[in-house]
Each structure stands twice: as structure tokens, then as C-alpha cells.
């Protein structure tokens, strides 16, 4: 293993979702200065769903016109587009124009759509590209993908986004009168600098991809993987070797499966099970629970909210990093550990959802036990389901290029279904009520 190739794979993974993750953490500074106000997060959710036209196009082209779409060319295009959009956002995010008699942040919304298109399409292009390298580099890629949420979150934390304190309303000159009020601290550096930082991260991602294609050390690792793949084919007798590994699958079924999906190692019910778990896990981690994070945490205080957000973001790359060193003993047990770990993570998610539903007066309010439980559940929720995604990625990697393309497509499908489910519940019907430790009063 070459350390520099691991670093490049990690940087490529970091660039996959760093732009949109950065937008989410910067919203508290952007929202007060745009005409859309707090409707902007809802618009961003809708734009991300429209941007799924990118992975849909790539998946259909791969299925109906295999080989017509250049994978490296597509990746070069989307990374360059993402870097350009971040730089343009730095200078034009506050520009408005009148649409239908109302001021709109047209430049911001258009550029956000392109950023969403870039990040959504990365799901069906970056993963298949990593198939060219040894299996361990795919784990490193997932570490980088986890860092795509952690890095902008830490930068936003250093910027001072969302940092608040409770002050006496009358002393602060608040029109609401006396009593404790939430006062947000000014940012340490501007939104423009933050967007330029995101552009720099996309630039690093582009440089990493160039080096993965042309650096001699990286090309050597790709050659090793091709040699191993050829040796595996020559060591067996085609599909018969696969059948010997999984005797419960008949040669006829194995041949039929390998002609359409993967190597035929898994039966169709098993394939459906893997993708169902993948869609469910991504719906929870990318859409359902993030939509209610503030409702589940803010009643316990701003420190609980920031701790849960930061530590949960750290749990993602940490789970993938641990996966680099743990032996894959679960693989010999079949797909059972996959379901058990997904069920455990879903259980932690149920507790988080229950606290969001009970907001602004959840149990154990104003106690260290309540803060500890909500933060711990967020960390275990993200960590366990991140490891599930890693397990599925490693399983599908062994099934070949087509399996990884469908992996990215199902990731986006699960995220889209989760977002479309939560959007009306949160933004239209307002089923969740917000609360904070300064102003919320609950019956004892």
C-alpha cells in the first residue's frame, strides 16, 4: 500500500459532498441576508432532488449505452464545475433580481443547483472509478466521504456559525422585553471566505483525481489490481469458480445474474436485500434525521446541538477508518451482520426522532442525562450506519463496475425518498415545534 495513494483517494472522497455539506452548515449566516429567509433550506432540498437528473442520466447511459460515457471525462467535468460554482458563489451569492414582482436570489439558487448536480452525480461516478484500485483504497475513499461533512463543519465552528448565548432581553435592548433571549455571536470571517475555502477543497479534489490518473505510484496500484483480477479469472473456470464459492446458487442462475449484475455470487433476493438496506440507511442518514436534528437537540441547549453535530460528523470517517483495520470476519457470516447493524442504527434513530416529535419538551430536559443521551444516540446512529454503508460498498465492489454504479444510484434514490417524505412534514404541515434552552418553558 502506498500512503500517497491513500491520501489522494481520501481527498477525492472529501470532494464528493463537501460543497453541499458546506452550504448546510453556512445557512445560519446566509439566511438573514437573502430575500428567501428561512425558506432557503426548503429550496435547497428541492434543488438537490432536481439535481438527481445527473445520476439518473449517468445510470441510464451506463445501462443502455455502455462505454459511450467516458468516466474520467465525466469526473473531470463535474469537479471543475463544482470548483467554478463555489468561486462564483463567493462573489455573487447576495445578488438578487426581481422575478414575478418579488426579489429573488437568482444567482445563489442557480449556483446551488449546479453544486447539487455535481455532488449527486459524484455518487455514480467516483465509486465506479475507485474499482480500478485495490479494495483498501475504497475504504479510504469512504473515510474521505465522511470528512466531506466534518471538514466544513469544523471550519464553520471556527467561523462561529450558530454560536449563541442566553442574555437578559432587557439588558440587550430586545424589543421582546425582559427574560432570557438567544443572542448569536458575529462570525469571525465572512461568507465569501468560506465559499472560497469550499472552492479550494474542490480544487484539491481535482488535483487528487489528476494524480490518481497520472502519478506513477497510483498507476502501479491500478496495475496491481488488474493483475489480481486477471489472476482470479485464470485461477478458476469462469462462472464455475463462483458457483463453487456459493454452492446454493445453481450454475444457470449464476450465469443469468452475472450477465446483468455483478458476478452472480448473490441471488436476486439477496441483491434486493442489499439495495433495500442501502436505500434505507441513506434515507435516514442523508435526509430523514438531518431534517429534525435541530428539533431533537436544541431543547437541551446549544451546546448539545453543536456537540451532536460535530461528534456525529466525526463518527462517520472514524467508522470507515476503523473498517480499514478490522478483519472482515462478518463476511463469512453472510448478510446477517448487515441487517443487525442497520437495525441497531435505526433504533438509535428512533430515539432521536422521538425526541424531535416531543420537542420543545422532551424527557430529561435541563439535565446532563438528557444531553448525554441525545449526543450519544447521534454519534452511535451515524457511526453504525456509516459502517453499514462501508460494508455494502465493499460487498458491491467485489461485484464489479455495474454494481458500484447501481450502488451510487440507490444511494441517491434513498436520499431523495427520505427528503420527499420529510419536506412536507417539516416545511408544509409544520409537525415539529422548535425549542431552545433560553426561552422554552415546559410544565414540570
Amino acid at each position: 500500500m502506498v500512503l500517497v495513494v491513500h491520501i489522494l483517494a481520501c481527498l477525492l472522497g472529501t470532494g464528493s459532498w463537501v460543497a453541499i455539506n458546506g452550504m448546510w452548515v453556512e445557512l445560519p449566516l446566509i439566511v438573514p441576508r437573502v430575500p428567501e429567509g428561512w425558506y432557503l433550506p426548503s429550496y435547497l432540498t428541492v434543488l438537490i432532488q432536481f439535481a438527481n437528473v445527473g445520476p439518473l442520466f449517468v445510470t441510464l447511459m451506463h445501462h443502455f449505452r455502455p462505454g459511450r460515457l467516458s468516466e474520467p471525462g465525466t469526473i473531470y467535468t463535474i469537479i471543475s464545475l463544482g470548483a467554478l460554482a463555489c468561486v462564483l458563489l463567493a462573489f455573487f451569492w447576495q445578488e438578487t433580481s426581481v422575478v414575478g414582482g418579488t426579489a429573488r436570489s437568482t444567482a445563489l439558487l442557480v449556483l446551488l443547483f449546479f453544486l447539487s448536480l455535481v455532488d449527486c452525480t459524484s455518487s455514480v461516478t467516483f465509486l465506479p472509478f475507485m474499482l480500478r484500485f485495490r479494495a483498501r483504497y475504497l475504504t479510504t475513499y469512504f473515510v474521505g466521504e465522511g470528512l466531506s461533512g466534518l471538514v466544513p463543519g469544523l471550519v464553520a465552528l471556527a467561523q462561529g456559525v450558530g454560536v449563541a448565548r442566553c442574555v437578559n432581553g432587557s439588558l440587550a435592548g430586545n424589543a421582546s422585553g425582559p427574560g432570557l433571549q438567544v443572542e448569536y455571536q458575529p462570525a469571525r470571517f465572512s461568507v465569501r471566505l468560506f465559499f472560497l475555502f469550499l472552492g479550494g477543497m474542490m480544487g484539491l479534489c481535482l488535483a487528487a483525481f489528476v494524480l490518481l490518473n497520472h502519478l506513477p505510484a497510483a498507476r502501479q496500484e491500478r496495475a496491481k489490481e488488474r493483475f489480481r483480477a486477471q489472476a482470479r479469472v485464470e485461477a478458476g473456470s469462469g462462472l464455475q469458480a463462483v458457483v463453487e464459492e456459493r454452492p446454493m446458487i445453481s450454475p444457470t442462475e449464476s450465469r443469468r445474474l452475472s450477465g446483468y449484475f455483478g458476478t452472480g455470487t448473490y441471488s436476486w433476493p439477496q441483491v434486493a436485500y442489499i439495495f433495500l438496506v442501502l436505500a434505507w440507511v441513506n434515507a435516514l442518514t442523508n435526509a430523514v434525521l438531518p431534517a429534525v436534528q435541530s428539533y431533537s437537540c436544541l431543547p437541551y441547549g446549544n451546546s448539545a446541538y453543536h456537540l451532536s453535530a460535530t461528534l456525529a460528523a466525526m463518527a462517520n470517517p472514524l467508522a470507515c477508518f476503523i473498517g480499514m483495520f478490522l478483519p472482515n470476519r462478518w463476511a463469512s457470516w453472510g448478510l446477517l451482520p448487515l441487517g443487525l447493524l442497520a437495525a441497531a442504527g435505526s433504533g438509535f434513530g428512533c430515539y432521536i426522532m422521538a425526541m424531535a416529535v416531543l420537542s420543545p419538551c422532551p424527557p430529561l430536559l435541563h439535565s446532563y442525562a438528557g444531553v448525554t443521551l441525545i449526543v450519544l444516540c447521534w454519534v452511535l446512529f451515524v457511526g453504525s450506519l456509516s459502517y453499514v454503508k462501508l460494508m455494502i460498498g465493499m460487498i458491491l465492489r467485489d461485484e464489479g463496475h455495474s454494481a458500484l454504479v447501481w450502488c451510487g444510484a440507490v444511494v441517491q434514490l434513498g436520499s431523495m425518498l427520505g427528503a420527499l417524505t420529510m419536506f412536507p412534514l417539516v416545511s408544509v404541515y409544520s409537525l415539529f415545534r422548535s425549542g431552545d434552552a433560553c426561552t422554552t418553558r415546559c410544565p414540570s
Side-chain angles (χ1 to χ4, degrees), residues 212-405:
L212 283 173
N213 278 286
H214 301 289
L215 193 70
R219 296 174 72 91
Q220 183 180 5
E221 292 301 294
R222 292 169 64 177
K224 287 180 180 178
E225 180 56 33
R226 285 197 298 270
F227 175 79
R228 284 178 171 81
Q230 183 179 359
R232 285 195 296 267
V233 172
E234 293 175 352
S237 56
L239 290 169
Q240 184 62 34
V242 176
V243 175
E244 289 172 359
E245 292 176 5
R246 294 293 181 97
M248 69 287 294
I249 302 177
S250 67
T252 303
E253 183 183 10
S254 181
R255 194 174 296 110
R256 177 172 58 83
L257 285 170
S258 63
Y260 178 71
F261 177 88
T263 62
T265 304
Y266 298 97
S267 65
W268 275 121
Q270 289 175 318
V271 170
Y273 168 76
I274 292 170
F275 280 134
L276 183 63
V277 172
L278 182 64
W280 170 257
V281 165
N282 280 279
L284 291 182
T285 56
N286 297 345
V288 175
L289 271 301
V292 298
Q293 184 169 23
S294 60
Y295 298 101
S296 68
C297 298
L298 279 179
Y300 295 103
N302 285 288
S303 59
Y305 177 71
H306 285 288
L307 275 174
S308 64
T310 305
L311 295 180
M314 294 176 63
N316 188 329
L318 180 61
C320 298
F321 185 75
I322 292 173
M324 295 178 64
F325 301 99
L326 287 180
N328 293 334
R329 294 178 180 175
W330 50 263
S332 61
W333 301 342
L335 300 177
L336 180 61
L338 191 70
L340 292 177
L341 197 55
S346 300
F348 297 123
C350 287
Y351 179 85
I352 294 169
M353 180 61 72
M355 296 305 101
V357 170
L358 294 173
S359 175
C361 298
L364 302 175
L365 196 63
H366 307 304
S367 71
Y368 289 112
V371 174
T372 302
L373 270 177
I374 194 65
V375 172
L376 188 61
C377 279
W378 267 104
V379 171
L380 294 175
F381 164 75
V382 173
S384 58
L385 295 190
S386 295
Y387 195 78
V388 169
K389 288 189 278 187
L390 173 64
M391 291 167 68
I392 293 178
M394 299 305 294
I395 288 172
L396 296 180
R397 183 203 178 273
D398 294 336
E399 297 302 300
H401 183 275
S402 176
L404 285 180
V405 172

Side-chain angles (χ1 to χ4, degrees), residues 413-425:
L413 176 63
S415 303
M416 181 182 68
L417 293 177
L420 293 179
T421 300
M422 295 305 296
F423 178 78
L425 298 180

Side-chain angles (χ1 to χ4, degrees), residues 12-35:
L12 181 66
T14 304
S16 60
W17 279 93
V18 70
I20 290 300
N21 287 333
M23 272 301 308
W24 281 113
V25 299
E26 195 70 1
L27 283 178
L29 291 183
I30 297 174
V31 161
R33 301 163 67 180
V34 296

